[in-house]
Amino acid sequence: MSTKPPSSLTERRKAATQLDIAHAAAELFAAQGPHTTTAEEIARQAGVALRTFYRYFRSKQDAVSPLLAAGADRWRALLEAAEPGADLFRSLATAVEESLAAPDEEAAGALLRTRGLLRAAEDDPALRAVWYRVNQESEERLVPVVARLADGRLDALRVRLVAAAATDAIRIALETWAGTEAGVTGDGAPSALALRCLRQLLGGMDALSLAADGETPGPSSG
């Protein structure tokens, strides 16, 4: 799902219906697992006809893709608001920290829901495929954002490397956290793990000149 708000009433209704279906699928997956959950049950839980379900989603696993993509959408929106030419690593790290923070019950609930879906994906190849697809799409959408922030300091190859590393940092952090009982805040939380991953993955890319000329690249500090 795009970070751009739906522009018409029809699009807003479509987005709301997709989200209702996604929440219904996540609830049923958590309660009884994706293997035993059917598309009919998801549609019934969401209060829509089965044909409406298949109008928006190809499979029951695909129905949770809006929820899995929501975090990446928030992160990308934060990056889109950053100023071009600033320290790129610092911009990435700040966006990661803010997008994975849990300042309220709604944000904490979203993270815990993602944990449940990632745990369910361990035994469901189709759900894993949805997760990987969401990450691939997120990486592709991140490329022009990184290019804008780099403001000409990185060539096309290095822009793609940064986008890939940043996307993988969040993916690996969430997958690692999902396999633990750590909370949504603290050292083992998604935000802390993602920052560690970001430093490790971008720490070997000092030649990318992530900071402005004459500054020390962010990954080498701290």
Side-chain angles (χ1 to χ4, degrees), residues 10-27:
T10 299
E11 289 174 338
R12 289 196 296 272
R13 285 176 174 169
K14 176 181 175 181
T17 300
Q18 288 176 320
L19 200 56
D20 286 344
I21 294 171
H23 280 292
E27 290 173 7

Side-chain angles (χ1 to χ4, degrees), residues 1 52 58 64 71 85 96 100 119 182 221:
M1 297 180 68
T52 301
R58 293 171 291 184
V64 299
V96 164
L100 292 177
R119 287 179 174 179
S221 61

Side-chain angles (χ1 to χ4, degrees), residues 35-146:
H35 290 295
T36 56
T37 299
T38 66
E40 288 85 354
E41 289 176 306
I42 296 172
R44 185 164 55 249
Q45 178 90 346
V48 300
L50 185 59
R51 66 178 180 277
T52 301
F53 175 94
Y54 282 115
R55 184 184 307 151
Y56 296 133
F57 300 108
R58 293 171 291 184
S59 68
K60 60 184 181 182
Q61 289 88 351
D62 189 44
V64 299
S65 58
L67 298 179
L68 292 175
D73 287 346
R74 285 194 301 273
W75 182 52
R76 194 166 55 254
L78 289 167
L79 284 174
E80 287 172 344
E83 290 295 326
D87 184 302
L88 183 51
F89 178 81
R90 189 169 292 114
S91 296
L92 290 168
T94 299
V96 164
E97 195 167 26
E98 290 185 19
S99 64
L100 292 177
D104 52 43
E105 288 186 9
E106 182 178 353
L111 285 172
L112 293 173
R113 185 167 52 242
T114 297
R115 170 187 265 170
L117 291 172
L118 291 180
R119 287 179 174 179
E122 291 180 4
D123 299 318
D124 192 308
L127 188 53
R128 279 202 307 278
V130 171
W131 170 240
Y132 294 145
R133 191 196 78 223
V134 164
N135 279 274
Q136 179 62 37
E137 291 173 350
S138 175
E139 178 184 324
E140 292 170 359
R141 292 170 182 166
L142 187 60
V143 169
V145 179
V146 171

Side-chain angles (χ1 to χ4, degrees), residues 189-204:
S191 58
L193 290 174
L195 287 175
R196 284 179 57 193
C197 290
L198 195 65
R199 290 190 181 97
Q200 290 294 321
L201 289 172
L202 292 180

